[in-house]
Amino acid sequence: MALLWSVVSVGFSLLLTPFLMFLLAVLFLASIGKSLGVRRLYVKLLLAIFEFGRQNIEKVRKSNRNWEPDESEDESGTSEDTGNDTTSANLPRNYKKYNAAEKKKNGVLGNSVIARSKDLIMVPEPEMNNKNHINHVNHSHSYQNTLEVNGNKESSLPREDSFEMLKREFDTSTCLDYIKAGVEAIIEDEVTSRFEAEELKNWNLLTRTNRHYEFISWKLTVIWMFGFLMRYCFLLPLRILICFIGVMWLTACTAVVGYVPEGRFKRWLNHRVSIMCFSVLSSALSSVIHYHNTENRPLRGICVANHTSPIDVLVLMRDNSYSLIGQRHGGFLGILQRALARASPHIWFERSEVKDREAVTKRLKKHVSDPTNPPILIFPEGTCINNTSVMQFKKGSFEVGGVIYPVAIKYDPKFGDAFWNSSKYSMIQYLYMMMSSWAIVCDVWYLPPMYRQDGESAIDFANRVKAVIARQGGLVDLQWDGQLKRIKPKKAWREKQQEEFSKRIKFE
């Protein structure tokens, strides 16, 4: 036992000095906003390892005769066509090309169980979709009265039944669209899947996304064990230490800035201190962030972005200084909120207090009206979505007026799932999962500023901004409210569906 302790102490003493030197180098480079490119090389190495793992898994699957071709191979046309498949022979020639194109289009998920019609029925605002549906039906009616499907002619004209006939007998065809939408929602609804971890095509050597691949071959077992030791014995302690130092540094720096008199110098100092401190904190996650179109970086007004995780704030404030608005938290987030509030104006509120939210709107208008204030960062979804979609934007921030700077954030799930499921994990658990992941890799797109048009409602403006963000980030644009993960659907939505259903029934 004495010999074992002596070996451990010698090893610890030998590794302590390089570890501390590496830590100081990371902190110093992050504080001055410089990088040696080590993290980018680390990410490239991970990609090579993931590709090797994918090839190894496919090789084992082929040898076990239970291998299925990957979707990416089908899309690229590398898979061989034997010509003996009668099912594929009966399909149209452009079938495969159409599917590949549809998968790449915005709003289509590659791992969806079912394919929905573009004219959705069960949506929060059905009248928006029904306008397009009515125009499409009228156009089809003027062009042709019948539609040929699989050699059979089926009437495409809307039914016109009398009220007396509807009282005597019920025709199922009047509600087939709703039955179809209901069955689709039972199989796979559009809301629940947005609050679960994003599905990966290939294994990323993490047991939290495990498909029991770590013991599929001895090569993968060795790589997985080495990665486990690397993440938990080296990266995790280093990241925890960097995070602790970063939080202490942020608290100390914001306290000093808080004592500086209001003026131009304080705003400049707060901008530099904010970027420096959040650069240090981003190093605690081994983050590799790519900023695009920096000429559109917000300067004033309101900045809106899609919301995946609390670290969205860290990702954006690493490149610019913002004022924040959001729910008042306790614990670790509460410490950061109180530290930030000392140096610059931020707006914190309680969701349960309606009067407080009215006061928030007034404070928001006051903040935006002052050109000396930094841009205020808002996540209009009001909750975290799993990096695949953008859900309903609340109209509050679009009623204030002034310029809106849209920002699209897209994380790469191969290196770590950035989505925070707050109903399942606490903040400490979430940070533990982030720090034990490989890295946080994401892209940030600064989009051109947008203004509310004459006669445009706040809801329409919010939807227009949301569509721009979804299109740039390759995200699915949904109308559903993200708060549905906490509350039941509103009664007004059911009433709207009943009203729209009544419009579909025509009487003589």
Side-chain angles (χ1 to χ4, degrees), residues 232-246:
Y232 285 95
C233 297
F234 178 73
L235 290 179
L236 182 60
L238 178 65
R239 290 169 177 173
I240 291 176
L241 190 56
I242 293 175
C243 181
F244 176 78
I245 295 175

Side-chain angles (χ1 to χ4, degrees), residues 183-223:
V183 173
E184 289 176 348
I186 293 173
I187 298 173
E188 182 187 47
D189 69 271
E190 289 189 308
V191 177
T192 307
S193 59
R194 302 308 187 263
F195 305 114
E196 299 173 353
E198 185 177 1
E199 187 174 335
L200 297 177
K201 284 187 175 182
N202 301 316
W203 188 41
N204 59 355
L205 302 178
L206 295 178
T207 52
R208 69 196 64 165
T209 57
N210 189 10
R211 301 174 183 173
H212 306 289
Y213 288 154
E214 67 268 30
F215 302 118
I216 200 171
S217 70
W218 69 268
K219 295 179 181 179
L220 274 183
T221 301
V222 171
I223 295 175

Side-chain angles (χ1 to χ4, degrees), residues 452-458 460-461:
R452 186 172 174 180
Q453 299 175 353
D454 295 336
E456 186 178 30
S457 66
D460 292 337
F461 185 32

Side-chain angles (χ1 to χ4, degrees), residues 108-320:
V108 178
L109 286 177
N111 57 353
S112 293
V113 178
I114 56 178
R116 288 182 170 84
S117 171
K118 294 181 181 179
D119 295 326
L120 298 178
I121 304 298
M122 305 299 291
V123 291
E125 302 293 338
E127 61 273 6
M128 297 177 62
N129 282 336
N130 282 346
K131 290 179 181 179
N132 297 330
H133 176 77
I134 293 172
N135 293 334
H136 176 71
V137 169
N138 291 337
H139 176 73
S140 300
H141 177 239
S142 62
Y143 180 75
Q144 60 179 6
N145 292 337
T146 57
L147 178 67
E148 186 171 350
V149 180
N150 296 329
N152 298 324
K153 290 186 177 181
E154 179 180 309
S155 175
S156 62
L157 294 175
R159 291 180 56 90
E160 292 189 358
D161 298 329
S162 65
F163 183 70
E164 294 297 330
M165 182 179 293
L166 289 174
K167 288 197 299 182
R168 290 195 307 267
E169 61 183 27
F170 175 74
D171 192 348
T172 312
S173 63
T174 58
C175 59
L176 279 179
D177 288 340
Y178 287 87
I179 295 174
K180 177 177 177 291
V183 173
E184 289 176 348
I186 293 173
I187 298 173
E188 182 187 47
D189 69 271
E190 289 189 308
V191 177
T192 307
S193 59
R194 302 308 187 263
F195 305 114
E196 299 173 353
E198 185 177 1
E199 187 174 335
L200 297 177
K201 284 187 175 182
N202 301 316
W203 188 41
N204 59 355
L205 302 178
L206 295 178
T207 52
R208 69 196 64 165
T209 57
N210 189 10
R211 301 174 183 173
H212 306 289
Y213 288 154
E214 67 268 30
F215 302 118
I216 200 171
S217 70
W218 69 268
K219 295 179 181 179
L220 274 183
T221 301
V222 171
I223 295 175
W224 174 74
M225 292 180 64
F226 179 78
F228 180 87
L229 294 175
M230 178 74 175
R231 288 185 294 112
Y232 285 95
C233 297
F234 178 73
L235 290 179
L236 182 60
L238 178 65
R239 290 169 177 173
I240 291 176
L241 190 56
I242 293 175
C243 181
F244 176 78
I245 295 175
V247 171
M248 295 297 102
W249 184 241
L250 175 65
T251 305
C253 291
T254 51
V256 173
V257 174
Y259 287 105
V260 177
E262 294 291 337
R264 185 175 181 180
F265 175 73
K266 181 178 182 178
R267 292 192 295 270
W268 175 86
L269 182 63
N270 174 66
H271 178 81
R272 302 306 305 172
V273 166
S274 175
I275 293 177
M276 177 185 66
C277 293
F278 280 96
S279 297
V280 174
L281 288 173
S282 68
S283 301
L285 301 175
S286 300
S287 60
V288 177
I289 308 171
H290 305 277
Y291 297 97
H292 307 276
N293 307 325
T294 54
E295 66 275 7
N296 297 324
R297 187 184 289 115
L299 302 175
R300 54 186 174 83
I302 299 175
C303 174
V304 297
N306 57 298
H307 198 23
T308 303
S309 159
I311 65 175
D312 294 339
V313 176
L314 183 148
V315 167
L316 293 177
M317 295 193 71
R318 184 179 178 270
D319 187 57
N320 195 16

Side-chain angles (χ1 to χ4, degrees), residues 441-508:
V441 180
C442 73
D443 288 273
V444 176
W445 290 274
Y446 294 114
L447 303 176
M450 301 178 66
Y451 297 87
R452 186 172 174 180
Q453 299 175 353
D454 295 336
E456 186 178 30
S457 66
I459 295 178
D460 292 337
F461 185 32
N463 290 332
R464 184 160 60 91
V465 174
K466 177 165 67 76
V468 170
I469 292 175
R471 184 165 55 251
Q472 179 62 72
L475 305 169
V476 181
D477 188 357
L478 298 176
Q479 296 183 29
W480 294 104
D481 187 356
Q483 296 300 325
L484 283 174
K485 74 175 181 179
R486 298 187 180 94
I487 61 176
K488 294 182 178 180
K490 299 176 182 178
K491 183 180 179 181
W493 292 353
R494 295 197 298 268
E495 293 176 351
K496 285 184 178 181
Q497 295 297 335
Q498 295 169 357
E499 180 181 352
E500 291 300 320
F501 178 70
S502 65
K503 292 179 182 179
R504 289 170 171 260
I505 304 176
K506 296 181 179 293
F507 303 106
E508 291 182 348

Side-chain angles (χ1 to χ4, degrees), residues 333-395:
L333 280 181
I335 296 175
L336 295 179
Q337 287 180 336
R338 289 189 292 272
L340 292 172
R342 297 190 188 100
S344 60
H346 300 276
I347 303 175
W348 312 121
F349 63 92
E350 300 290 346
R351 293 185 183 274
S352 58
E353 299 178 7
V354 179
K355 293 183 179 179
D356 193 32
R357 299 193 71 169
E358 293 177 355
V360 165
T361 304
K362 295 180 180 178
R363 292 170 61 186
L364 182 59
K365 291 181 179 179
K366 182 180 179 181
H367 180 97
V368 173
S369 62
D370 189 350
T372 62
N373 286 333
I376 189 162
L377 178 61
I378 299 178
F379 301 103
E381 290 168 298
T383 189
C384 296
I385 314 298
N386 71 345
N387 196 42
T388 63
S389 313
V390 182
M391 303 192 78
Q392 184 186 85
F393 276 12
K394 304 297 186 297
K395 65 178 181 178

Side-chain angles (χ1 to χ4, degrees), residues 34-93:
K34 300 296 181 180
S35 175
L36 297 178
V38 176
R39 278 178 285 182
R40 297 183 185 273
L41 292 175
Y42 167 67
V43 167
K44 290 182 179 179
L45 176 62
L46 287 176
L47 287 175
I49 294 174
F50 294 160
E51 178 62 20
F52 172 79
R54 183 189 67 81
Q55 295 176 358
N56 198 273
I57 291 172
E58 290 181 359
K59 183 178 179 181
V60 174
R61 279 180 171 180
K62 287 181 180 179
S63 63
N64 294 336
R65 296 182 180 179
N66 62 352
W67 176 76
E68 296 179 0
D70 187 67
E71 293 179 358
S72 60
E73 294 183 1
D74 293 338
E75 293 176 9
S76 59
T78 56
S79 59
E80 296 181 1
D81 187 8
T82 59
N84 297 326
D85 191 355
T86 58
T87 304
S88 60
N90 294 329
L91 294 176
R93 293 182 178 179

Side-chain angles (χ1 to χ4, degrees), residues 3-50:
L3 179 62
L4 178 63
W5 278 110
S6 61
V7 171
V8 171
S9 60
V10 170
F12 181 77
S13 60
L14 290 176
L15 295 176
L16 181 61
T17 302
F19 180 83
L20 293 177
M21 294 296 294
F22 181 76
L23 174 64
L24 291 176
V26 170
L27 293 174
F28 175 74
L29 292 173
S31 63
I32 62 176
K34 300 296 181 180
S35 175
L36 297 178
V38 176
R39 278 178 285 182
R40 297 183 185 273
L41 292 175
Y42 167 67
V43 167
K44 290 182 179 179
L45 176 62
L46 287 176
L47 287 175
I49 294 174
F50 294 160

